[in-house]
Amino acid sequence: MTLRALLDHCAATILFVREGRAVTLAEGCIPALVDFSFEDKAAKGLRRLRDAVPRPPQYFTALEVAQDAPVLLLLGEAGSGKTVLARRLALHLAGEALGDARFNLATLASDVPRDEAGTLVRETWAEPILPHLLTAPVNALPEDGLLILDEAERLGEGGPALLAELVARGRRAILLGDAEACGAWPIPPGVRRHRLLPLLPAQRAAWHALHGGPKDLPAHPGLMSLAVAGVSLGDLAHHAATAFAALRDGVTPAHPTLGRRFVLERLAARHIATLPAATVAALAADPCWHATLRHLQGDATLAEALLATGRSDLAVLAADIAPPVAMLRDALASAVARDDLKLPARIRAGRHLARLGDPRDLAELVAVPGGEYAMGSALHPNSAPPHRVTLAPFRIARFPVTSALYARFVAATGRAWTSADGRDPAMANAPATDLSWHDARAFCTWITPIWRDEGRIAADEIVRLPTEPEWEAAARGRQPVSDAQVYPWAAPWAALRCNSEEAGLNDRCAVGLFPAGRSPFGCDDMAGQVWEWCSTNWGEDMATPAFRYPYDAADGREDADAAPSIRRVLRGGCFSSGAEKATCTYRGSLEPAGSWRGNGFRVVISRPAPALPHAGSAPPAA
């Protein structure tokens, strides 16, 4: 396809038909936002002090993250605007190359609402790259330009390999795919994955001002276009008739993947109940139809039939359809423990467990025996030199402290907590975040007598934050000193063993969803998920620790009364940390009064240690 043909093809893309007139892409569309905020970008290195009032997140557009990521995988459900986004970008890049007055980089720029308040920030595309727009998998990649590949789910299991090839060849590419199918891909280094967001109220208001339709527009772009066009889902029933007639005849058609797929999915619910049980079972066995079946909300009979299969993925589907169902909680917990769910289903399982009341012991403690442990790594100067430390036995929490447990502390003490979603029932079993070092220590003091009364700890034991060597010992176990990067699973890096940047969630999830990343002593989520506070001091300089290795507990680094300017150590990385930080050895830090949605903590149980000599509030001289 020539650039001129590409421009004409994209400009003629029909967004919807209203009152007999086709509204095309050339008449404008809404720039799509993704699940990556300005704060996320600023906080990759943990640098924000607590705000008195939480600020609403402001999000980047898909085009902006595409400029920062040579290879970008954008996910969305059917009708979320993936194809419109691809063609909008190709239209303006082709126009720029052709010198077109209507479509170019200047006309691509627009003021975009970025948050619930409608704050406008200019969106621009600064880099003129010739586009190659493709709507199907390719056998041979073009040698230059920007590859825009729609319907990436059609690559199937070959998707990750193509991503790796694009990175290896230094190619620029944007792949757009189904959230369920492509969200399960392991993402190679050098690739970023983001999800398209529903439309904000300000975006819908702007669309209504341009194109009319009902005032109460849905946030889903596809359904919004239908509403603006004056078309109801009921009016579109004939579009699904052929497919469901085939189903009734015992023929399972391929799942629709084109632009009208979301219509079929939302019409499916009213028809599937009339199908033979064997046909429903066949559909349930195909993950591509799960999104359709999820629209059978409230069908407890179908949910119970899915549960009876004993399959992990169908247990999650049952929860999508009709929670609560008898035995559903235990079935979901078992599915998570079996570790046979693909990532999108795993995340949904965790959220369902949170809403239903997670039956797992999320305050479970694991024992770490005393003895010598390797500490540090030669791979980063702040973690060098590798050395050995001797530790007394202790117990440590298997999971980070969850939002539900921390919320109990807040309710009992009245302590301020600025978390935007800490009280969300769907996040009750996710790590508590937006917590300062002082918050974490106050929680430890509060929970100590409660756990003594419950018999969880002995009368002479206390709850506290881990020291830095205790945290590392629990994470790496008895792994020896090594020049290689050290991960909790005692094996090379694997993208889907933890909630890191490579998993592409850009948020925390329920604890314990990555059993393959468990540490040798049985601790979960020690790589990625959330940065975890330690008791240990770092120093005042963010880049270089004043308290260097080898670790020495007597040099003031465990002085709990150090000055407010002395940063405290954070360990483990978080959901936005890459493979070089989501490790057993990388050292992060933050001011003790600082907090962020990517930092939390886990606790250690021990007997009170004798007072250590220290150098006061200042670190030793270099």
Side-chain angles (χ1 to χ4, degrees):
M1 183 183 293
T2 66
L3 282 177
R4 174 55 62 184
L6 176 64
L7 184 148
D8 293 340
H9 172 71
C10 291
T13 298
I14 296 175
L15 299 180
F16 60 89
V17 177
R18 178 170 173 79
E19 298 177 350
R21 188 180 73 86
V23 177
T24 66
L25 182 63
E27 298 176 77
C29 65
I30 299 176
L33 300 177
V34 300
D35 60 348
F36 187 64
S37 70
F38 296 173
E39 181 187 8
D40 289 335
K41 185 170 184 178
K44 284 251 179 191
L46 300 165
R47 15 285 102 208
R48 180 169 75 85
L49 290 176
R50 176 192 299 272
D51 293 322
V53 178
R55 293 173 296 182
Q58 295 182 359
Y59 294 100
F60 287 100
T61 69
L63 299 189
E64 289 165 341
V65 295
Q67 293 181 79
D68 286 343
V71 179
L72 174 67
L73 176 61
L74 279 175
L75 305 179
E77 64 174 335
S80 60
K82 300 187 296 296
T83 298
V84 170
L85 167 65
R87 296 189 177 186
R88 174 180 177 239
L89 178 56
L91 171 66
H92 287 270
L93 289 178
E96 178 74 17
L98 293 168
D100 192 279
R102 300 168 302 159
F103 309 114
N104 51 56
L105 294 181
T107 58
L108 177 63
S110 60
D111 293 324
V112 180
R114 303 298 183 122
D115 55 26
E116 293 289 339
T119 305
L120 296 176
V121 179
R122 193 81 171 163
E123 176 197 49
T124 59
W125 178 277
E127 194 172 358
I129 304 175
L130 296 180
H132 294 280
L133 178 65
L134 300 167
T135 57
V138 292
N139 295 321
L141 294 175
E143 291 300 323
D144 58 2
L146 172 67
L147 173 67
I148 305 175
L149 177 62
D150 199 8
E151 300 175 28
E153 63 273 10
R154 294 174 62 185
L155 291 164
E157 297 300 320
L162 175 61
L163 293 173
E165 181 182 355
L166 290 167
V167 172
R169 293 173 56 174
R171 290 297 318 280
R172 297 294 303 273
I174 303 173
L175 280 70
L176 305 100
D178 178 77
E180 189 77 11
C182 301
W185 288 354
I187 299 301
V191 176
R192 283 179 60 181
R193 174 165 54 193
H194 289 294
R195 183 182 295 263
L196 296 175
L197 293 178
L199 297 173
L200 297 173
Q203 292 176 295
R204 284 174 268 161
W207 188 250
H208 179 268
L210 282 174
H211 302 297
K215 290 186 177 180
D216 188 19
L217 292 172
H220 184 281
L223 294 180
M224 188 187 72
S225 295
L226 289 175
V228 171
V231 179
S232 69
L233 291 179
D235 295 333
L236 295 170
H238 64 278
H239 286 299
T242 301
F244 287 106
L247 287 172
R248 292 189 187 92
D249 293 337
V251 179
T252 303
H255 190 58
T257 58
L258 300 178
R260 283 187 287 272
R261 170 178 141 190
F262 67 94
V263 177
L264 301 184
E265 289 180 346
R266 285 157 179 77
L267 292 171
R270 73 183 67 182
H271 296 286
I272 286 180
T274 68
L275 300 177
T279 304
V280 173
L283 290 177
D286 180 357
C288 291
W289 279 92
H290 285 192
T292 297
L293 293 175
R294 282 201 293 274
H295 291 286
L296 281 175
Q297 292 295 316
D299 191 332
T301 301
L302 175 59
E304 290 172 358
L306 295 173
L307 267 181
T309 66
R311 281 179 41 179
S312 298
D313 58 333
L314 299 188
V316 180
L317 181 56
D320 294 339
I321 292 170
V325 175
M327 301 182 294
L328 185 55
R329 292 192 313 168
D330 291 340
L332 290 172
S334 297
V336 168
R338 284 196 295 270
D339 197 25
D340 57 358
L341 289 171
K342 292 186 176 181
L343 185 59
R346 209 182 309 173
I347 302 308
R348 296 205 313 278
R351 286 178 168 264
H352 285 307
L353 282 171
R355 294 188 185 97
L356 296 171
D358 201 319
R360 299 174 295 168
D361 181 4
L362 301 184
E364 180 183 349
L365 303 169
V366 300
V368 178
E372 273 202 352
Y373 290 88
M375 187 174 185
S377 166
L379 297 180
H380 193 285
N382 291 346
S383 303
H387 58 290
R388 303 191 71 80
V389 293
T390 301
L391 299 176
F394 62 94
R395 287 184 292 161
I396 189 169
R398 175 179 171 182
F399 307 111
V401 170
T402 63
S403 290
L405 184 53
Y406 191 81
R408 284 179 51 196
F409 162 63
V410 170
T413 63
R415 194 176 186 89
W417 187 22
T418 59
S419 172
D421 61 0
R423 298 170 180 83
D424 181 351
M427 299 297 281
N429 56 5
T433 56
D434 291 285
L435 305 174
S436 72
W437 184 78
H438 301 297
D439 292 331
R441 293 188 70 227
F443 171 88
C444 292
T445 300
W446 171 80
I447 200 72
T448 292
I450 294 173
W451 279 2
R452 285 174 179 169
D453 291 344
E454 292 176 356
R456 190 177 289 273
I457 65 175
D460 61 345
E461 289 182 318
I462 61 169
V463 182
R464 57 174 174 81
L465 294 178
T467 65
E468 196 172 4
E470 286 174 336
W471 189 97
E472 186 165 328
R476 72 189 289 178
R478 299 289 190 181
Q479 295 186 61
V481 173
S482 173
D483 291 335
Q485 194 64 274
V486 181
Y487 300 105
W489 47 88
W493 174 255
L496 296 185
R497 288 191 180 220
C498 64
N499 181 11
S500 67
E501 182 178 37
E502 289 79 2
L505 300 180
N506 193 40
D507 200 358
R508 68 202 197 283
C509 60
V511 298
L513 296 189
F514 295 85
R518 188 170 295 145
S519 81
F521 290 127
C523 293
D524 287 71
D525 299 320
M526 297 200 84
Q529 186 77 294
V530 294
W531 288 98
E532 298 182 13
W533 286 114
C534 292
S535 62
T536 309
N537 295 325
W538 170 277
E540 294 186 337
D541 183 3
M542 181 182 72
T544 305
F547 295 101
R548 301 192 64 86
Y549 284 173
Y551 178 88
D552 181 1
D555 65 1
R557 71 181 67 206
E558 293 299 340
D559 177 13
D561 298 319
S565 60
I566 302 299
R567 302 167 72 91
R568 270 57 169 187
V569 169
L570 287 158
R571 286 300 210 104
C574 73
F575 49 76
S576 64
S577 301
E580 76 285 353
K581 293 185 179 180
T583 75
C584 298
T585 60
Y586 187 87
R587 307 174 74 199
S589 71
L590 185 63
E591 298 93 337
S595 65
W596 180 57
R597 76 180 184 95
N599 76 285
F601 69 103
R602 76 179 68 216
V603 299
V604 154
I605 310 301
S606 71
R607 287 174 172 77
L612 291 168
H614 59 79
S617 61

